[in-house]
Amino acid sequence: MIGGGFFLAFLIAGVPIAFALIALAVVIILAGGNHILFQSFPQQFFGGLENYGLLALPLFILLGEFMNEGGIGRRLMALAMALLGSVRGGLAYVNLVANMMMASILGSTVAQITIMSRIAVPEMERAGYPRDVSVAITAAGGMLAPIIPPSMMFIIFGVIAQLPIGDLFIAGIVPGVIMFLAFLAVIAWLGQQHAFPRSRTLDLRERVVAVRDALPAAAIPVVIIGSILGGIATPTEAAAVASVAAVIVGMFVYREMSVSDIWPAFMRAAASSAVVLFLIAAAGLFSWVITFENVPAIVSAWVQSLTTSPIVFLLTINLILLLLGMVTDPIPAIILVVPVFLPVATGVYGIDPFQFGVIVCLNLTAGLLTPPVGTGLFTAALMGNVRAERLARLILPFFLAVALVIVALSLFPMLSTGLGAALQ
């Protein structure tokens, strides 16, 4: 309780999350009287980064930068238009399909919302869609990013939980498809409420051109997922190959990227990666301290006093995660939650760690679009020039769909574990 109070005070004071975690670890050590732990501080801090799987993180961030520079996102949008654009509300469905394609490459909600806001919202507005509804659909589509592989959150969860990242990617495929289908149903309902226009029918030549132009872009997620599922490459190797492919496509196929764009993309990716990796290092230190101080066992005893049912435990965790996601970003939340609750979930209630990982990431992603913090919500509102309050109300039907998916994942573990078991 004392440590939690100090941590809250650090956050209120504006202390960065990573430094707040380190300070909290110091407070816990001082409160426990185990001062000898300070001798291992440097070793434990740097030891948190000695994980091969972490190499995938900066490489996927770099892939996102190269995609943005190379015009790949726009081609994926055109491909979705060629496939679905002639139905009523076609651009809304196109937006969601393009979001799913981008999610299979970027893995970052905020990055996806930023890119898709530039591409999809102007097109939808020109076609007669209300601007606020267009922004809401784009923002909701961003919730697909952390669950459809490759996912930044899965990488971080896998590193902290010491689980194979490739297997986590596989665990997210079926839940991601289910959530995509649920969002399609929401868009169909919104189309009835807002009388979405019918997009013009593309002729055969236009469809062929759109498919042809998008094939190199669409090959990138196929390379990533196919190489991982086929056992050809690890997620790290797949990210490296995909980054090279994105440069080749952007420079020599689409000709929207030049040599001068490569170095700035490296610098942006390095800056973003440094922030996340420093946070992970602080998380490793924090996890080591709370494990030494037996915090997971204390939490386990407390949770067991509340319920002995795995289902009730998962539903309780869902509520805790959603509330936590409302006040903090997903990565710090994962760092706080996983060391404490994962041992309880697997050791006490027998919950599959991959099922737990998917549920954690999906809950915390929903928090990205929830006030009062809601990084994704405010990013979408800023990019779309829409009031955040209005946007939060419009996104509510998508939240209800996500809630139903989370409940289904909690009740039916095979939704997140079945594909991995089938592939083994």
Side-chain angles (χ1 to χ4, degrees), residues 212-233:
R212 182 200 64 195
D213 289 348
L215 282 178
I220 293 177
V222 172
V223 167
I224 295 172
I225 305 302
S227 61
I228 294 173
L229 292 180
I232 300 172

Side-chain angles (χ1 to χ4, degrees), residues 154 163 166-176 178 314 346 350-359 408-424:
F154 280 168
L163 293 173
D167 291 346
L168 272 171
F169 285 177
I170 295 172
I173 293 175
V174 172
I178 293 173
L314 273 179
T346 57
I351 296 169
D352 187 274
F354 296 100
Q355 178 194 11
F356 188 75
V358 172
I359 290 173
L409 292 175
S410 301
L411 295 176
F412 306 106
M414 287 297 292
L415 294 177
S416 49
T417 62
L419 182 60
L423 293 174
Q424 287 180 353

Side-chain angles (χ1 to χ4, degrees), residues 113-363:
I113 289 173
T114 301
I115 293 173
M116 291 303 297
S117 294
R118 297 173 184 165
I119 298 172
V121 173
E123 290 291 332
M124 293 182 70
E125 193 174 17
R126 278 194 291 269
Y129 290 78
R131 184 175 186 81
D132 52 1
V133 176
S134 303
V135 175
I137 292 172
T138 303
M143 284 193 282
L144 294 168
I147 193 169
I148 292 180
S151 162
M152 298 295 110
M153 291 176 66
F154 280 168
I155 294 172
I156 295 168
F157 183 94
V159 169
I160 296 175
Q162 297 183 353
L163 293 173
I165 294 170
D167 291 346
L168 272 171
F169 285 177
I170 295 172
I173 293 175
V174 172
V177 171
I178 293 173
M179 195 161 79
F180 170 73
L181 295 175
F183 281 9
L184 287 179
V186 172
I187 289 177
W189 179 80
L190 287 175
Q192 299 275 340
Q193 301 297 309
H194 297 278
F196 286 166
R198 182 184 294 274
S199 302
R200 73 178 183 88
T201 302
L202 301 180
D203 60 35
L204 180 60
R205 178 181 173 280
E206 289 174 313
R207 292 178 187 272
V208 170
V209 169
V211 172
R212 182 200 64 195
D213 289 348
L215 282 178
I220 293 177
V222 172
V223 167
I224 295 172
I225 305 302
S227 61
I228 294 173
L229 292 180
I232 300 172
T234 65
T236 302
E237 294 164 346
V241 172
S243 297
V244 173
V247 171
I248 294 173
V249 169
M251 290 183 64
F252 301 108
V253 179
Y254 297 147
R255 300 178 184 270
E256 293 190 15
M257 186 177 180
S258 64
V259 175
S260 62
D261 295 323
I262 295 178
W263 182 248
F266 268 108
M267 295 300 292
R268 290 192 298 271
S272 300
S273 302
V275 173
V276 177
L277 291 174
F278 186 81
L279 188 55
I280 293 173
L285 185 65
F286 172 74
S287 300
W288 169 67
V289 170
I290 65 170
T291 301
F292 192 90
E293 295 291 347
N294 212 27
V295 172
I298 297 172
V299 173
S300 173
W302 173 72
V303 172
Q304 288 182 78
S305 69
L306 298 178
T307 180
T308 58
S309 168
I311 299 299
V312 175
F313 167 77
L314 273 179
L315 295 178
T316 304
I317 290 297
N318 286 332
L319 181 60
I320 293 173
L321 291 171
L322 187 57
L323 293 174
L324 184 61
M326 289 180 179
V327 297
T328 186
D329 284 340
I331 293 176
I334 286 178
I335 289 166
L336 291 171
V337 166
V338 174
V340 176
F341 286 110
L342 181 61
V344 180
T346 57
V348 176
Y349 294 99
I351 296 169
D352 187 274
F354 296 100
Q355 178 194 11
F356 188 75
V358 172
I359 290 173
V360 167
C361 293
L362 186 50
N363 270 288

Side-chain angles (χ1 to χ4, degrees), residues 24-154:
L24 180 57
V26 171
V27 170
I28 293 174
I29 291 175
L30 293 176
N34 295 308
H35 298 170
I36 194 172
L37 295 181
F38 286 123
Q39 297 180 9
S40 301
F41 241 52
Q43 178 184 354
Q44 293 296 329
F45 185 80
F46 288 102
L49 297 178
E50 293 179 349
N51 188 304
Y52 172 75
L54 274 180
L55 281 175
L57 187 65
L59 287 171
F60 277 120
I61 293 175
L62 182 63
L63 172 60
E65 293 289 344
F66 287 155
M67 277 188 51
N68 194 28
E69 291 288 346
I72 292 175
R74 184 160 52 81
R75 264 73 178 198
L76 293 178
M77 184 76 178
L79 174 62
M81 174 73 79
L83 298 176
L84 295 171
S86 60
V87 299
R88 178 170 294 281
L91 272 180
Y93 294 108
V94 165
N95 189 342
L96 189 63
V97 172
N99 262 299
M100 187 174 71
M101 293 177 181
M102 295 292 285
S104 68
I105 303 175
L106 290 177
S108 167
T109 295
V110 175
Q112 185 167 327
I113 289 173
T114 301
I115 293 173
M116 291 303 297
S117 294
R118 297 173 184 165
I119 298 172
V121 173
E123 290 291 332
M124 293 182 70
E125 193 174 17
R126 278 194 291 269
Y129 290 78
R131 184 175 186 81
D132 52 1
V133 176
S134 303
V135 175
I137 292 172
T138 303
M143 284 193 282
L144 294 168
I147 193 169
I148 292 180
S151 162
M152 298 295 110
M153 291 176 66
F154 280 168

